[in-house]
Amino acid sequence: MQEELIERLIEQFRSLPGVGYKNAQRYAYSIIEGSTERAKNFADAILQAKSKIGFCKVCGNFTDKDICPICAKRNRKVVCVVKEPRDVLAMEKVKNYDGVYHVLFGTISPLNGRGPDDIKIRELLQRVQSDKVEEVIMATNPDVEGDATAMYIAKLLRPLGVKVTRLAQGVAMGSDLEYADEVTLSRALEARREID
Amino acid sequence: MQEELIERLIEQFRSLPGVGYKNAQRYAYSIIEGSTERAKNFADAILQAKSKIGFCKVCGNFTDKDICPICAKRNRKVVCVVKEPRDVLAMEKVKNYDGVYHVLFGTISPLNGRGPDDIKIRELLQRVQSDKVEEVIMATNPDVEGDATAMYIAKLLRPLGVKVTRLAQGVAMGSDLEYADEVTLSRALEARREID
């Protein structure tokens, strides 16, 4: 016999990615056991984030402004193309990248019924032309869909005279060769560089 | 360069038990990417749960009524004593238990500075007398603090003429003997029963 309001809150937490019933229950109890102020702040943060955050007009990333802080300040001649907003955060860990981003919001995936028109490719082409972009760095994930999407976009971009590059693929720093998969090893071998 | 409102939402999710930065970020993006209606429902579920849910006057469990549905309907002569509200849910999986509960909201834990007066022991004693309880089942966790708390309460209850029992301890159903710890095995051995 579970209380209806608790059940409702548990259901909300379960709707988050990767959260099962047990964890949703822990989260719900933590809210109920916490202070009223905390519950208010939590609810408010959800509403504020949802209502005030939209898309940057330039790169498509989430922002509460017209143009996001990255597009507003940095070199728009170099554009790094990523699959989704959280990839921007990942790339931003590289401190010396001074270019901007373009968020595709997905990859081409025929199996899931997503074609080129379902992701923000058209916007990228327009942008490359209007901003006279010099280099587009394809930073989609190093998997089948990410590779295919990068290839597809590169083909469209080349006639526009822009340089198109792809993040290097190889063995990850600090990883153990013994556990690297064969595709990674074969790519690392192909892309081997002379030590000088 | 993270947006402030997103950061604020991530911080809220991080305040949930066992949620790290990466997961909090996934949850926050899931809210932002989801519908406005979902965000509203989520915020509302938090506020409603926090504002409407209080404690049952009888057992101390969470409820949005004066007396929870369990205490309202079932046999109050048998009381199962648990550490916290989620333990009630766990016990309720036992379908044929018809008694009620008492939530201690903690266990006696000198190391953490929690004495008998910091948990709901006094309320239990009052209840045992006023409801003429016949049996108290100690269902605190089978660990040092849970055992000590059960012993302490049993000592207080015995002079009142009430039967005090403890959940059986032994090897768990479906578990592998090889991986059972020595304390569990020794208790299972002590409490062995004749096969008839």
Side-chain angles (χ1 to χ4, degrees), chain A residues 129-178:
Chain A
Q129 290 172 298
S130 63
D131 279 355
K132 301 199 176 70
V133 171
E134 288 159 6
E135 180 176 357
V136 171
I137 304 166
M138 296 303 312
T140 48
N141 287 336
D143 54 24
V144 177
E145 291 182 2
D147 276 350
T149 306
M151 294 296 224
Y152 182 90
I153 293 176
K155 233 181 215 168
L156 293 175
L157 285 175
R158 252 180 243 118
L160 304 178
V162 60
K163 182 174 161 191
V164 185
T165 56
R166 178 103 173 96
L167 285 191
Q169 294 179 15
V171 288
M173 273 299 293
S175 67
D176 199 326
L177 220 61
E178 187 184 352

Side-chain angles (χ1 to χ4, degrees), chain A residues 3 8 32 34 44 50 64, chain B residues 3 8 32 34 44 50 64:
Chain A
E3 298 288 325
R8 227 186 103 201
I32 295 166
D44 188 58
K50 184 62 207 167
D64 56 5
Chain B
E3 298 287 326
R8 225 187 104 202
I32 295 166
D44 188 56
K50 185 61 208 168
D64 56 5

